[in-house]
Structure formats: structure tokens, C-alpha cells
Amino acid sequence: VELTVFEIISIGNELLNGRTLNTNAHWLSSRITSLGGFVRRITVVRDELEEISSAVKEALNRGSDWIITSGGLGPTFDDLTLEGVAKALGLELELNEEALKMIAERYREMEREGALKAELTPHRLKMATLPRGSSPLRNPVGTAPGVLIRVNGSYVVCLPGVPSEMKAIFDEELAPLIESKIKRAFRAFRRARLVGVAESDLAPLIDEVRKRFGVYIKSHPVGRYEGKCRLELDVYAHRPDEEEARRLVDGALEALKEALSGKAERFELE
Amino acid sequence: VELTVFEIISIGNELLNGRTLNTNAHWLSSRITSLGGFVRRITVVRDELEEISSAVKEALNRGSDWIITSGGLGPTFDDLTLEGVAKALGLELELNEEALKMIAERYREMEREGALKAELTPHRLKMATLPRGSSPLRNPVGTAPGVLIRVNGSYVVCLPGVPSEMKAIFDEELAPLIESKIKRAFRAFRRARLVGVAESDLAPLIDEVRKRFGVYIKSHPVGRYEGKCRLELDVYAHRPDEEEARRLVDGALEALKEALSGKAERFELE
């Protein structure tokens, strides 16, 4: 199955010093997976030009189809994402008229609401200063627009770090584009819960079943209960055909259940 | 200030397909920061040999002092961390007698509790098969030991992905070692909460104050309340001397408060 490969780059010191749990990358990987994409890697880097630029370059060199960054699009000195991306791609930064319009409109709206004065200060113009050739992505809930750049066969997308802004731009602007470009493979998935068998005892059976059915099986130990080992078994199949993918997952689970009857105390499908 | 640089590598497909929120990396970065370390990067890769090995190699090439992996130490076919690390470091895998003793003892204990039979199957021996020269780290709550490898001037440490096991090995085995090796810099930190000033309007003041006091200031927008912008301002200073670090942070906050009096509606120190 041919896959469309994504990488996520999360930018922000707060993600590396224990301040902030990286829920953005989790949300993005979940949404991308359900759109049919394959997330190969998540990289979290600090608000430093070299770190951002090298992370983007490395992802491009791995041949990933989509590179999605979040964080570092705001007005402060340490919002360096666009400078880092421009450096990685060898592009100049320039004032983007479309982005400027979006930002000016947003500040006028906030002025009407009494939150601030709408003048376009240098720190605000910074948010409209994008790598040459960028398309801004409308931010319906905040100020800094997202940014989309086509690079040879790949896309680099920059989203804000504020979760509500990142999600809104992803869902409203990006998801439709991803859906129209993605190589579709259906991903069937079911989970079984198992009591009374240790992961190490299950390992040979998993090996056998995953080879027989061409599925991926991942076991997750979830502690012990009254001395008994408990496991979750996630079974996945990626196939162009939905029916076939489901059939393989169900077949693998049936085979596991049969092989474990009399050994496992419980085998429940979720 | 000279820092001891850490990288975290999280290994597991479940961290990339939306199944699991990466709380391990967050916990590790928080603990490492409070021990005085500097976390430069977090990389999340799939359960694939090439991905693991390239991530470890890249971190070593960046000259990081400590590389801490979590995940992929278990008994199943897709637990590939030790193979990936061995490949990255050019080391053979071999049965480690000390690790074997730990594992055998653990299984005998579980047999006494009636959870399983203690025989050392190939899948269990796999957990004692470590890169040559490794030191196993006792796992007080699970089976797979952690692994410590000294590589030139750096340390590569492999911890399990099950959070309770990762935390126990870190706290009991690793933290004392890190504390004895780390270059100590005191990190002073205080947070202010601010209402009624937009991040873009605050940006020039932040620039000025951070330069004047030699501190790091990060502004985090936290939405609007009754139309007013709300911000959190995190102020940090790293200095060999604790007293000096605290003085700089307090001075910077005082200067911010003064400059904002009459502009911000509220300025509260946490």
C-alpha cells in the first residue's frame, strides 16, 4: 500500500522544559491518521533559528510529503518559525499582501471590540512576512494566519501553537486540501482486551498471526490485576479495499481468540 | 552558562497514530529540567529499525550529552529499540548476564504469584540481550530492565514505554547518576498573568526588558475574556549563582509591571 507520509514539527521551549504537554502533536497525528495519512515522525525543537531550520530540512530530506509545524508564528522575538522555514527552503521573507489583509481585518475587528488599537506595528507586520510563494491560511479564531508552501513535490504547512487556532485552521483550511491530495488506503482497526497471559508468552503467537494475516498487531501491557497480567491488543490492517482490511483484522482476532482459549482467562473485543 | 544537553527519543507507533498522548516525554523533560538539565529536542519515531537507529545517530551527531529513549524494550517482534541503538552505535547485541539475572528473578517472583511459568523463552531472553558494554538498570515494577551505555563522552539510556516502569527506573536508578554528572546552573522562574494588553503590543517591551536583564521571557496568549486579551508571561534566568538568577527575574518582572502600569488592567505575579 502506497502511503502519504506526514511529519509534525512542534516548536516551542515550553514543550521541552516541562511547562506544556504536547497535545497539539497528538491531536494532529490523530486527525492526519483518520484522514488516511501516515505520520512517520514528530520532532519537538526549541525557539531557535538553527533548530527549526535543521528540523525542516531533515524532514524534507527524508522525502516526507507533508511537513506540518505548529508554534512560533506570533509577534514576539522568539517566534522564529517562518524565518526558520525560509532558511531551510532557501526562500526570502517578504510582506504577503493577502496575509496582511487578513491581519489588518482581524485587528480592526478587535479594535471595534475595544481590545486594542488596530495600528500595524512592526511586530504585527512580522506575522504577515512570509517565505516567498507562501499562501496564507485564514485563522478564524486568532491573529497569525497559517502558512502553506509548495516545495517540489511536498507541502510545508505552518500552524500557530495556540491549540484553538491550530485546530480551526487545520479543520477549515487544511483538511479539505489533504483529503483531495492523499493516497487513500483504508485502515481497519480493532482492539481486544486480554487477562491472564503475559506479553512475553503471547509474543510467539502474535508473530505467527500477524504473518499469516498480513496485519499489524501491537500489544500494550496495562498492568496486573489480582496478580494476573492484563494486555490490550491493537490489530490494524491497511488495504486499498475496506472490506478486505476489515476481514483480515477480524480473521486475525478470531485466530488469536481460538489459540488462547483455555489459556487466557478473558478475551474481549472492544 | 554551560549546560548539560539532553535529547529524548520516544519510540512507538501508538505515539504517531493518535492512540497515545506522549506523556512520557513530558514527564522526562520536566524531571530533567528540574535536575538542572537542558532538553534540546524530543523525537518521536515508529517501531522501525532504521527510524530508531537514525534518530539515535542524529542525536549523537548533534553532540548531546544524554540521549534518553523510551519504549520498545519489551518481548515482542516490534520492540526494536536495543537493536536500533546497537546499530546506531556499531555495537553487537549479546546476552547480558546481569540483565538475565534481573529478568529471571522477576519471572520467578511472578510465578510464585501464580501469574505465569518462569521459563526463559527466546522472547524473554530478548529483553536481556543488550548492546555490548551496556549496564542494565533495575526495573522495580516490571520485567524489562533499562539500559545505560557510555559512548565516548555521552550516555545513551533506554527506558521502557510503560509509564510506571519508566518513571521508577528514572527516579531510582538514573536521577542520582544524572545529578552527579550534570553541570549545574540555577534556573530561576516566575510567571505573571496579564489582562488587557495584546501580545503584539507587548512584544517591543519584552524585547527591551529581556535584553536589559539578560533573562528569557516567553509570552503565552491564553485567549480573551470579556473582549480583553489575556497573557501569561514566563520569565527565566539561568545563572551559576541562585541569588543572581532570582534577582534578575524579579528585576525584569518589576520593570514590566512598571512599564505596564496604566496600560494593563491587571498584572499579577504567580
Side-chain angles (χ1 to χ4, degrees):
Chain A
V1 183
E2 218 189 339
L3 297 165
T4 303
V5 177
F6 288 71
E7 293 202 30
I8 297 167
I9 300 175
S10 303
I11 297 157
N13 295 1
E14 71 277 14
L15 302 167
L16 292 160
N17 64 18
R19 183 195 200 274
T20 304
L21 178 62
N22 193 355
T23 54
N24 279 355
H26 182 243
W27 187 90
L28 284 170
S29 60
S30 173
R31 294 284 288 125
I32 291 164
T33 304
S34 60
L35 290 171
F38 175 90
V39 182
R40 168 197 273 163
R41 194 183 277 226
I42 297 169
T43 308
V44 188
V45 294
R46 301 185 71 89
D47 297 298
E48 287 170 22
L49 189 59
E50 275 309 317
E51 285 291 303
I52 299 167
S53 137
S54 71
V56 171
K57 246 188 279 182
E58 288 156 24
L60 280 170
N61 289 343
R62 281 186 288 270
S64 298
D65 301 304
W66 291 79
I67 295 155
I68 301 188
T69 76
S70 74
L73 294 188
T76 60
F77 76 98
D78 62 348
D79 286 308
L80 295 167
T81 298
L82 296 176
E83 203 177 330
V85 167
K87 192 171 178 218
L89 305 180
L91 296 171
E92 297 289 312
L93 286 169
E94 60 181 23
L95 198 66
N96 180 295
E97 288 301 328
E98 207 184 333
L100 183 61
K101 251 179 81 176
M102 290 178 183
I103 289 170
E105 199 177 292
R106 183 83 191 133
Y107 279 116
R108 279 197 301 272
E109 199 181 301
M110 288 169 83
E111 188 175 65
R112 281 193 301 271
E113 293 166 4
L116 44 71
K117 291 207 171 108
E119 55 194 333
L120 288 170
T121 61
H123 285 88
R124 288 178 179 163
L125 288 176
K126 175 177 176 298
M127 293 187 279
T129 305
L130 314 184
R132 182 168 291 169
S134 295
S135 309
L137 303 170
R138 183 171 299 279
N139 182 340
V141 295
T143 315
V147 174
L148 173 76
I149 312 169
R150 186 114 171 84
V151 190
N152 304 324
S154 303
Y155 293 92
V156 177
V157 181
C158 305
L159 300 175
V162 176
S164 59
E165 302 184 18
M166 180 207 68
K167 291 175 187 178
I169 299 177
F170 186 95
D171 281 339
E172 295 184 20
E173 304 288 323
L174 204 56
L177 182 66
I178 291 174
E179 284 197 290
S180 73
K181 301 285 179 194
I182 215 161
K183 291 166 204 138
R184 282 228 149 265
F186 187 81
R187 174 175 172 274
F189 165 68
R190 279 186 88 183
R191 180 174 298 160
R193 294 177 196 280
L194 198 56
V195 177
V197 179
E199 194 183 29
S200 47
D201 286 326
L202 195 66
L205 178 64
I206 288 180
D207 278 3
E208 186 211 311
V209 171
R210 75 185 172 85
K211 282 179 197 150
R212 174 140 65 101
F213 288 88
V215 297
Y216 172 67
I217 306 177
K218 177 129 191 177
S219 54
H220 295 279
V222 286
R224 288 199 285 155
Y225 180 71
E226 294 180 351
K228 308 289 179 190
C229 301
R230 292 188 311 156
L231 287 172
E232 289 177 3
L233 284 183
D234 290 353
V235 182
Y236 301 89
H238 285 86
R239 289 293 183 288
D241 182 58
E242 174 171 347
E243 193 50 50
E244 190 197 354
R246 290 197 191 281
R247 199 172 44 71
L248 291 168
V249 167
D250 289 343
L253 282 164
E254 200 49 53
L256 286 165
K257 188 175 181 176
E258 205 181 297
L260 289 167
S261 84
K263 286 178 194 153
E265 256 178 49
R266 260 196 290 170
F267 186 100
E268 281 164 9
L269 289 171
E270 203 175 74
Chain B
V1 184
E2 218 189 340
L3 297 165
T4 303
V5 176
F6 287 71
E7 293 203 29
I8 297 167
I9 300 176
S10 304
I11 297 157
N13 294 0
E14 70 278 13
L15 301 167
L16 292 160
N17 64 19
R19 184 196 199 272
T20 303
L21 178 63
N22 193 356
T23 54
N24 279 357
H26 181 243
W27 187 90
L28 284 171
S29 59
S30 172
R31 293 285 287 125
I32 291 164
T33 303
S34 59
L35 290 172
F38 176 89
V39 182
R40 167 198 271 163
R41 194 183 276 226
I42 297 169
T43 307
V44 188
V45 294
R46 301 185 71 88
D47 298 298
E48 287 169 22
L49 189 60
E50 275 309 317
E51 286 291 303
I52 299 167
S53 136
S54 71
V56 172
K57 245 187 282 182
E58 289 156 23
L60 280 171
N61 289 343
R62 280 187 287 269
S64 298
D65 302 304
W66 290 80
I67 296 156
I68 300 188
T69 76
S70 75
L73 294 188
T76 61
F77 74 97
D78 61 349
D79 286 309
L80 296 168
T81 298
L82 296 175
E83 203 177 331
V85 167
K87 193 172 176 212
L89 305 181
L91 297 170
E92 297 290 313
L93 287 169
E94 60 181 23
L95 198 66
N96 180 297
E97 289 301 329
E98 204 184 335
L100 184 61
K101 250 179 80 177
M102 289 179 185
I103 289 170
E105 196 177 295
R106 182 84 191 132
Y107 278 117
R108 278 196 302 273
E109 196 182 303
M110 288 170 83
E111 188 175 66
R112 281 194 299 273
E113 293 165 4
L116 43 72
K117 293 210 172 105
E119 55 194 331
L120 287 170
T121 62
H123 284 88
R124 287 177 182 164
L125 288 176
K126 175 178 175 298
M127 292 186 279
T129 306
L130 314 185
R132 181 168 293 169
S134 296
S135 309
L137 303 170
R138 184 171 300 278
N139 183 339
V141 295
T143 316
V147 174
L148 173 77
I149 312 169
R150 187 113 171 86
V151 189
N152 304 323
S154 304
Y155 293 92
V156 176
V157 181
C158 305
L159 300 175
V162 176
S164 58
E165 302 183 20
M166 179 206 69
K167 291 175 188 177
I169 299 177
F170 186 95
D171 281 340
E172 296 184 19
E173 303 289 323
L174 204 54
L177 183 65
I178 291 175
E179 284 197 291
S180 73
K181 301 285 179 194
I182 215 160
K183 291 166 203 137
R184 281 228 149 263
F186 186 81
R187 173 177 172 274
F189 164 67
R190 279 185 87 182
R191 180 174 297 160
R193 295 178 196 278
L194 198 56
V195 177
V197 179
E199 193 183 28
S200 47
D201 286 325
L202 196 65
L205 177 63
I206 289 180
D207 279 2
E208 187 211 309
V209 171
R210 76 184 173 86
K211 282 178 197 150
R212 175 140 65 101
F213 289 87
V215 296
Y216 173 66
I217 305 177
K218 179 129 188 176
S219 53
H220 294 279
V222 286
R224 287 200 286 154
Y225 179 71
E226 295 180 350
K228 308 288 179 193
C229 300
R230 291 188 310 155
L231 289 172
E232 289 176 5
L233 284 183
D234 290 354
V235 182
Y236 301 90
H238 286 84
R239 289 292 182 291
D241 180 59
E242 174 171 346
E243 194 49 51
E244 189 196 356
R246 290 196 191 280
R247 199 172 44 71
L248 292 169
V249 166
D250 289 343
L253 281 164
E254 200 48 53
L256 286 167
K257 188 174 180 176
E258 203 181 299
L260 289 166
S261 84
K263 287 178 193 154
E265 257 178 46
R266 258 195 291 169
F267 187 99
E268 281 163 8
L269 288 173
E270 203 176 75

